[in-house]
Amino acid sequence: MKQQNSAHMAESNNSEYVVLEDASSTSLDKYQRVSVLPLVFLIFYEVSGGPFGVEDSVKAGGPLLALLGFLLFPIIWSIPEALITAEMGTMFPENGGYVVWVSSALGPYWGFQQGWMKWLSGVIDNALYPVLFLDYLKSAIPALEGGFPRIIAILVLTVALTYLNYRGLSIVGWLSIILGVFSLLPFVFMGLVSIPKIKPSRWLVADMSTVDWGLYLNVLFWNLNYWDSISTLAGEVENPSTTLPKALFYAIILVVFGYFFPILIGTGAIPVDRELWSSGYFSSSSNYGGVWLRSWVQGASAVSNMGMFVAEMSSDSFQLLGMAERGCFLNSLPRDLLMELLLPGFYSLSGVILLSWLSFQEIVAAENFLYCFGMIMEFIAFIKLRIKSPTAPRPYKIPVGTAGAILMCIPPTLLILVVLALASLKVVAISMIAVVIGLILQPCLAYAEKKMWLSFSKNCNLSSFHFC
């Protein structure tokens, strides 16, 4: 791998920072690095997983607004987030991702808060997928609808998918390719069989007086965020300085096409009854190709949740692993054993099990709320590093100056404020409790380390980077 030149960056407290080399711990060298194609599908599952869950956008706003939303929202939100991820991820090509960016710009305290909120958001997000997977299977296996069998099924499924992460990120990446192709192919066939039925005039249907703006924006936001999650495993990427930007570019095309095309076909092939367009509509409707295609879409819906689970688990695990590498997270085991057992996966697994009892709406709302806080700190860190360290090595740099970088962050920041304003009081209360826990937890952990009650060892193989 190419070695980047070291560059010094000044933090607000005048501590000295060094841009990390393009490598992670040598103890991970025996694992196969992730190349472009598996990385594209890992990003695809971090962000999307297919068009399952976009149906509510049609219910909320009708065909026209749904189609416009999945064309315009990526410009406002997804592309800026992906560009920032590409620049910062190649500037700091190590596990931990956005935790490293925020720590380098704002200091160790806020770096920990970033890691805490984004990890909670990821764990909450991951709590959805075993539940949704079983929801697709319960029609065939009624016993999974509730009670003790459902609880056991969730635990077994969670443990089995977590084991895949233990087997290695390369396996997860290639599994994501297989699941991604299987999840998208039925919609290609749906498009082919629906061509004779399509009436373009149906795409223009809109009734602004009946738009549910809260539902509409939350559906778009939930389905088009998390582009930064792939940065947490940048240390496992083959030549991240070129691979990461390429993968993000191709993934944006795949995700947008994977959303827009099914909605285009679905709303154009048959008259739209907005009340029917809710989560699961694609997998329950046989209007597009008969029972055989419906069964295929249902199977694709189920395995899509598996893909999203393993991708999110990988991101969460390597985020904590990167924090442990920098002494930000509890590490009482020898380094090689930490790598072998993927101890962070255990922490994420525990959180997933504890949160699986929440409803779908509560999980999504709380996840979005915490995610927004983390994104605000990422934007601040990105702009501050542009201002304070303009000459630091950036293998990929967004071709805009400081003023352009600031302007680029304004539209997504305004969108974040709208999402936060739409949150219910219950979600705000739960999320703020989580935030307060993080604000208190970091000083408590620092005190415990000072008293030698806990071990927070750093990996000496990493370049000097004075934070955490």
Side-chain angles (χ1 to χ4, degrees):
M1 292 186 174
K2 293 181 179 179
Q3 297 291 325
Q4 295 182 20
N5 295 326
S6 295
H8 295 288
M9 295 187 293
E11 189 209 359
S12 57
N13 61 4
N14 295 323
S15 296
E16 203 171 57
Y17 287 66
V18 181
V19 176
L20 299 171
E21 295 179 357
D22 192 10
S24 65
S25 172
T26 55
S27 61
L28 279 174
D29 288 343
K30 59 184 175 181
Y31 295 107
Q32 184 179 352
R33 301 282 177 171
V34 182
S35 57
V36 173
L37 185 59
L39 194 63
V40 168
F41 278 88
L42 278 172
I43 298 172
F44 170 74
Y45 272 118
E46 289 278 7
V47 176
S48 169
F52 315 106
V54 303
E55 299 97 330
D56 281 311
S57 65
V58 178
K59 180 178 182 178
L64 180 61
L65 283 183
L67 291 169
L68 288 176
F70 282 102
L71 286 180
L72 299 178
F73 197 92
I75 298 174
I76 298 172
W77 177 265
S78 300
I79 292 178
E81 185 182 6
L83 287 172
I84 292 172
T85 299
E87 178 171 320
M88 302 303 292
T90 56
M91 187 178 180
F92 302 98
E94 65 161 305
N95 298 328
Y98 37 71
V99 178
V100 180
W101 317 341
V102 174
S103 296
S104 67
L106 306 178
Y109 182 81
W110 293 110
F112 181 89
Q113 303 309 319
Q114 172 75 359
W116 169 252
M117 285 186 285
K118 293 303 282 285
W119 176 75
L120 278 181
S121 176
V123 168
I124 292 171
D125 184 58
N126 230 8
L128 290 169
Y129 304 129
V131 175
L132 292 176
F133 178 79
L134 293 179
D135 284 342
Y136 286 112
L137 294 182
K138 67 184 181 183
S139 59
I141 310 175
L144 297 178
E145 188 168 352
F148 186 72
R150 183 178 179 86
I151 295 174
I152 294 298
I154 289 176
L155 293 178
V156 171
L157 183 62
T158 302
V159 171
L161 295 178
T162 301
Y163 177 74
L164 291 175
N165 282 275
Y166 161 74
R167 295 296 300 169
L169 191 59
S170 178
I171 293 176
V172 172
W174 288 104
L175 176 65
S176 297
I177 295 175
I178 296 171
L179 296 180
V181 172
F182 181 79
S183 297
L184 292 175
L185 270 182
F187 293 96
V188 175
F189 281 91
M190 182 185 293
L192 293 175
V193 300
S194 299
I195 289 176
K197 306 176 184 179
I198 291 178
K199 293 183 179 180
S201 60
R202 292 170 178 158
W203 298 330
L204 304 178
V205 175
D207 185 356
M208 304 301 290
S209 64
T210 60
V211 176
D212 184 344
W213 291 106
L215 177 62
Y216 177 73
L217 290 175
N218 270 300
V219 170
L220 291 175
F221 189 78
W222 184 59
N223 282 285
L224 286 165
N225 61 18
Y226 276 87
W227 296 94
D228 60 333
S229 294
I230 202 65
S231 68
T232 62
L233 44 86
E236 315 309 308
V237 175
E238 179 182 309
N239 193 14
S241 61
T242 58
T243 300
L244 187 59
K246 285 181 181 178
L248 283 163
F249 174 76
Y250 295 135
I252 283 180
I253 296 174
L254 182 63
V255 168
V256 173
F257 178 80
Y259 285 147
F260 186 79
F261 182 74
I263 295 177
L264 191 73
I265 295 299
T267 56
I270 60 175
V272 175
D273 183 348
R274 284 172 53 180
E275 292 305 314
L276 297 178
W277 279 78
S278 58
S279 295
Y281 178 77
F282 282 129
S283 60
S284 63
S285 176
S286 60
N287 291 315
Y288 302 104
V291 176
W292 69 273
L293 185 55
R294 181 183 63 183
S295 300
W296 190 359
V297 174
Q298 286 176 336
S301 303
V303 300
S304 175
N305 287 292
M306 294 175 57
M308 287 186 283
F309 184 96
V310 294
E312 182 66 51
M313 178 67 76
S314 296
S315 175
D316 295 343
S317 298
F318 279 100
Q319 176 196 322
L320 296 190
L321 186 57
M323 293 174 70
E325 289 286 306
R326 289 294 168 182
C328 300
F329 197 76
L330 178 63
N331 174 17
S332 58
L333 296 177
R335 182 64 51 183
D336 288 341
L337 185 57
L338 179 67
M339 298 298 185
E340 291 290 343
L341 296 180
L342 198 58
L343 182 61
F346 169 76
Y347 292 110
S348 294
L349 170 61
S350 301
V352 168
I353 293 173
L354 290 174
L355 287 167
S356 292
W357 58 272
L358 293 175
S359 71
F360 179 86
Q361 292 80 8
E362 289 171 334
I363 291 174
V364 170
E367 167 206 344
N368 284 345
F369 198 92
L370 292 171
Y371 183 83
C372 287
F373 272 106
M375 285 308 305
I376 289 174
M377 284 200 287
E378 285 184 35
F379 292 153
I380 294 173
F382 166 66
I383 293 172
K384 184 173 182 179
L385 290 174
R386 274 294 190 98
I387 296 173
K388 298 295 184 181
S389 307
T391 61
R394 290 170 170 85
Y396 173 83
K397 185 175 182 179
I398 305 171
V400 296
T402 301
I406 294 173
L407 290 174
M408 187 180 70
C409 292
I410 291 176
T413 301
L414 292 176
L415 179 62
I416 285 174
L417 296 177
V418 172
V419 172
L420 293 176
L422 291 174
S424 67
L425 291 178
K426 179 180 179 181
V427 169
V428 171
I430 295 174
S431 301
M432 292 308 299
I433 289 173
V435 170
V436 171
I437 290 174
L439 295 174
I440 298 173
L441 183 60
Q442 196 274 346
C444 292
L445 291 176
Y447 181 79
E449 181 185 20
K450 182 179 180 181
K451 292 293 185 179
M452 301 182 68
W453 295 340
L454 298 173
S455 171
F456 292 84
S457 61
K458 301 179 182 179
N459 187 351
C460 61
N461 292 316
L462 290 173
S463 302
S464 176
F465 207 119
H466 302 297
F467 67 85
C468 295

